[in-house]
Amino acid sequence: MEKRLVKTMIVKDAQFIISAVSEKQYPEGSLPEIAMAGRSNVGKSSFINRMTNRKKLAKTSSKPGRTQTLNYYLINNRFYFVDVPGYGYAAVSKKERRSWGKMIENYLLGRKQLKGVVLLLDIRHEPTGDDCLMYQFLKHCRIPVVVIATKADKISKGKHAKHVKIIREKLQADPEDMVIPFSAETGIGKDEAWKAIENLLD
């Protein structure tokens, strides 16, 4: 597969727009959207903040499961990052999990502006059953996906390839789907992540 050289995105403007719980609250217009999915404690907010060079654009919390809405962030007045509720947090009631699950499913299946999903996993651990289900759901629905392996600063760089291999095998990832080691602390993988997102937007 031919690789295209894409300049790293320069984020000149990034702003929080709305927390939505239903389609009628989604922003109007045709701007493309990139969704962020992953477990509650995987670092989606930290990913958004590092990618946009904003420390507090997306609120981070030490308490998993805080994001209960679709949070829209407008980037360069060109496209949206959409942070969806994290999955796999046991302290949330089954009723709430079902409600969030339905909201996420309706968004992923019904939003025409959605161009792809960034699936965030913790590089230090094997993907969970929920991670694998999410990946297979996206593949089944033919939604483009980029896998971001967060917290890459927590292991030595020499072990990145080994952990990426484990992730690929556990997910049964398609060869064309990227798995990018990433660190919100150091910026490892930021350029590669932007290139992948640009390809989704194109």
Side-chain angles (χ1 to χ4, degrees):
M1 187 176 178
E2 185 180 349
K3 292 184 178 179
R4 294 187 305 143
L5 292 176
V6 182
K7 289 184 179 180
T8 301
M9 173 85 66
I10 297 174
V11 178
K12 296 181 178 180
D13 186 71
Q15 52 186 307
F16 169 75
I17 299 300
I18 193 172
S19 293
V21 295
S22 65
E23 186 175 354
K24 61 185 178 183
Q25 293 179 314
Y26 300 163
E28 296 180 354
S30 59
L31 290 181
E33 299 173 9
I34 303 294
M36 311 289 153
R39 288 176 61 81
S40 297
N41 59 349
V42 78
K44 292 187 280 97
S45 296
S46 296
F47 175 80
I48 292 171
N49 289 339
R50 168 58 77 166
M51 293 294 283
T52 58
N53 296 319
R54 270 69 173 176
K55 290 184 178 180
K56 297 181 180 179
L57 177 64
K59 293 181 180 179
T60 59
S61 174
S62 59
K63 181 182 178 182
R66 183 170 180 176
T67 300
Q68 303 177 19
T69 55
L70 298 171
N71 292 333
Y72 273 81
Y73 302 91
L74 180 60
I75 312 300
N76 286 347
N77 294 305
R78 180 186 160 202
F79 64 94
Y80 292 99
F81 278 163
V82 184
D83 186 10
V84 305
Y87 51 76
Y89 186 52
V92 177
S93 72
K94 289 183 179 180
K95 183 177 180 181
E96 280 184 298
R97 288 204 298 270
R98 283 197 299 270
S99 176
W100 296 359
K102 194 65 179 175
M103 178 175 62
I104 295 169
E105 183 177 327
N106 288 342
Y107 170 76
L108 293 176
L109 294 180
R111 188 64 168 164
K112 292 181 180 179
Q113 290 89 334
L114 180 66
K115 298 300 181 183
V117 172
V118 173
L119 178 60
L120 293 97
L121 313 175
D122 188 328
I123 196 171
R124 300 171 297 176
H125 309 298
E126 283 191 3
T128 65
D130 287 332
D131 293 326
C132 294
L133 283 173
M134 175 59 79
Y135 178 81
Q136 294 302 329
F137 172 80
L138 296 171
K139 298 304 294 185
H140 176 75
C141 299
R142 298 184 179 181
I143 299 172
V145 57
V146 172
V147 179
I148 297 293
T150 64
K151 307 184 183 181
D153 59 293
K154 303 298 184 183
I155 61 174
S156 66
K157 192 171 182 180
K159 293 182 178 179
H160 285 181
K162 173 188 173 183
H163 285 257
V164 165
K165 185 173 184 287
I166 291 170
I167 289 171
R168 298 194 72 91
E169 289 176 349
K170 187 72 174 180
L171 291 178
Q172 299 180 13
D174 285 351
E176 68 269 18
D177 288 340
M178 299 184 71
V179 178
I180 302 171
F182 181 90
S183 168
E185 293 293 324
T186 67
I188 292 170
K190 179 182 174 182
D191 289 350
E192 292 81 359
W194 267 128
K195 290 174 184 177
I197 289 170
E198 282 276 24
N199 286 336
L200 293 177
L201 291 169
D202 287 345

